[in-house]
Amino acid sequence: MTMTAVPVGPQRYQERYPATLEAATQARRDIALALETWGLPQLVDVAKQVVTELVANAVEHTDAATVGASITRTGTVSARVVVTDTSRTRPTPGTPAADDESGRGLVLVDALAHAWGSELVHGGKRVWAELRADGEQ
């Protein structure tokens, strides 16, 4: 009898980090490693930037003790980044002045991601970004 392995679900990586300044660096490294392992190096740079901004926002703008970050492969050249925290306040892009030193994180996420958004979930919120390397908008 011949058996064939079948996928049991999408490729996914997730981790929780203490809500400290180092969380964004750790999440960026872990997400990049997952994408490289899955053979998606074309998504690494954009994913690193997006997860950095989303985790930094969660650390800076909430009082969460931990922040979750995950990446799920959604297609042959696409993935979804998700960052979770315990705040129920949904993020909104800022409108920083030209000389402001901060406030551009979600504007950057909007420019880099195919789509992004947030949703309230039990115990907090989830902020997600869809990434594609196929050039489709």
Side-chain angles (χ1 to χ4, degrees):
M1 177 162 106
T2 302
M3 297 184 75
T4 304
V6 297
V8 294
Q11 291 173 310
R12 183 164 192 255
Y13 174 81
Q14 66 181 9
E15 187 61 73
R16 291 207 70 74
Y17 305 94
T20 64
L21 295 176
E22 293 80 27
T25 301
Q26 293 169 331
R28 181 175 55 240
R29 180 198 62 227
D30 294 344
I31 296 295
L33 181 58
L35 288 168
E36 291 283 354
T37 300
W38 299 339
L40 293 172
Q42 64 273 45
L43 289 178
V44 168
D45 289 340
V46 69
K48 285 169 49 175
Q49 189 66 53
V50 167
V51 78
T52 297
E53 297 300 337
L54 296 181
V55 170
N57 278 352
V59 169
E60 183 177 340
H61 299 293
T62 74
D63 60 359
T66 62
V67 174
S70 69
I71 189 155
T72 304
R73 186 176 193 156
T74 57
T76 56
V77 290
S78 61
R80 179 181 238 218
V81 171
V82 175
V83 172
T84 59
D85 63 60
T86 56
S87 171
R88 305 253 330 141
T89 303
R90 295 172 97 165
T92 56
T95 52
D99 58 346
D100 285 349
E101 294 184 13
S102 63
R104 292 177 179 80
L106 291 176
V107 174
L108 184 58
V109 169
D110 187 56
L112 293 173
H114 174 73
W116 76 277
S118 65
E119 52 202 16
L120 298 180
V121 295
H122 180 72
K125 73 172 170 300
R126 131 183 349 131
V127 183
W128 54 268
E130 300 287 343
L131 310 178
R132 293 185 184 173
D134 59 9
E136 291 183 24
Q137 293 295 323

